[in-house]
Amino acid sequence: MRITPLLTEDVVDVLERQHSQIRGAFAKAALPGPGRRKAFENLVRLLAVHEAAEEAHVHPKAHRALAMGSAVTARRRREEKEAKELLTALWRTGPDCKGYLRKLTRLAAAVQRHAAREEREEFAALRQAVSARRLRLLAAEVRLTQLYAPTRPHRWVNNELTNKLAGPLFGPLDRGLDVARHLRAQLSGTG
């Protein structure tokens, strides 16, 4: 097992690794079979906590630090809002309903376009404009936020303030619902 030293990895490293994990999670969520629901729930959780941390910490820092930060982060927030609406619709229908793969494919395309633009326009510029020390601290902020962030999409939670206010409320609530669903699945023999 590889343990990444917490203060040597910067926020760009953390988020790019998560982008890779999300791409893999989309592939697993598309596979048919009994593991699809669990893969789907894992994908939703990855996307929800990832975006919550970006919206609460990364985009605000980019907004303030980059020369064109306002324009860049406005575009990223619009993309995230679109993806969150697609994710919410997919969450409501679930992996067992008609049209799941079509909706999943549409969401995957939107998320992957967004991630590529983030990496190209925002992350590269952050590395130029922000000190290495601050980027490492920002990575710690992102990790901490992801520990208590909501595990499912909440459409109106899509900026710095709403993420910082809603995270401590919806994060534990979502996690409690996740545990209850898991226990219900265990008791019914489907988990």
Side-chain angles (χ1 to χ4, degrees):
M1 180 170 86
R2 180 178 163 261
I3 298 175
T4 305
L6 288 179
L7 293 177
T8 61
E9 193 174 45
D10 74 23
V11 72
V12 173
D13 297 327
V14 170
L15 296 175
E16 287 180 343
R17 185 179 62 253
Q18 289 176 1
H19 284 174
S20 179
Q21 291 169 340
I22 289 167
R23 282 190 295 275
F26 270 111
K28 289 178 183 173
L31 295 174
R36 180 183 271 182
R37 175 157 297 279
K38 185 173 181 176
F40 169 71
E41 290 172 357
N42 182 55
L43 170 67
V44 171
R45 182 184 188 102
L46 282 170
L47 288 170
V49 300
H50 176 82
E51 290 306 325
E54 282 185 343
E55 291 168 359
H57 300 286
V58 179
H59 299 325
K61 184 63 177 174
H63 180 86
R64 292 186 298 272
L66 305 181
M68 298 292 290
S70 178
V72 168
T73 57
R75 288 191 300 270
R76 296 303 75 80
R77 281 194 299 273
R78 278 192 304 274
E79 293 163 4
E80 285 169 354
K81 185 176 184 209
E82 174 195 349
K84 195 172 285 187
E85 288 170 0
L86 293 170
L87 180 60
T88 300
L90 188 60
W91 173 255
R92 286 186 180 140
T93 60
D96 303 319
C97 293
K98 184 178 177 180
Y100 169 74
L101 285 177
R102 182 179 37 79
K103 289 179 181 180
L104 182 71
T105 300
R106 187 171 170 213
L107 174 62
V111 167
Q112 290 174 20
R113 277 191 310 270
H114 167 72
R117 289 176 182 144
E118 272 182 337
E119 291 172 7
R120 185 177 57 249
E121 297 174 19
E122 191 171 9
F123 297 172
L126 275 171
R127 278 208 170 128
Q128 296 296 314
V130 179
S131 73
R133 180 177 180 273
R134 182 63 185 110
L135 290 175
R136 288 190 304 272
L137 289 172
L138 194 55
E141 291 173 19
V142 162
R143 286 187 191 104
L144 180 61
T145 296
Q146 290 177 337
L147 290 176
Y148 66 81
T151 60
R152 58 184 49 96
H154 297 278
R155 287 182 302 161
W156 60 271
V157 180
N158 56 14
N159 63 39
E160 179 180 11
L161 180 61
T162 57
N163 270 284
K164 287 181 177 178
L165 292 174
L169 173 66
F170 286 124
L173 178 64
D174 286 355
R175 283 168 168 70
L177 292 170
D178 294 343
V179 167
R181 185 175 39 264
H182 177 73
L183 289 174
R184 209 171 28 252
Q186 292 291 339
L187 291 173
S188 70
T190 61

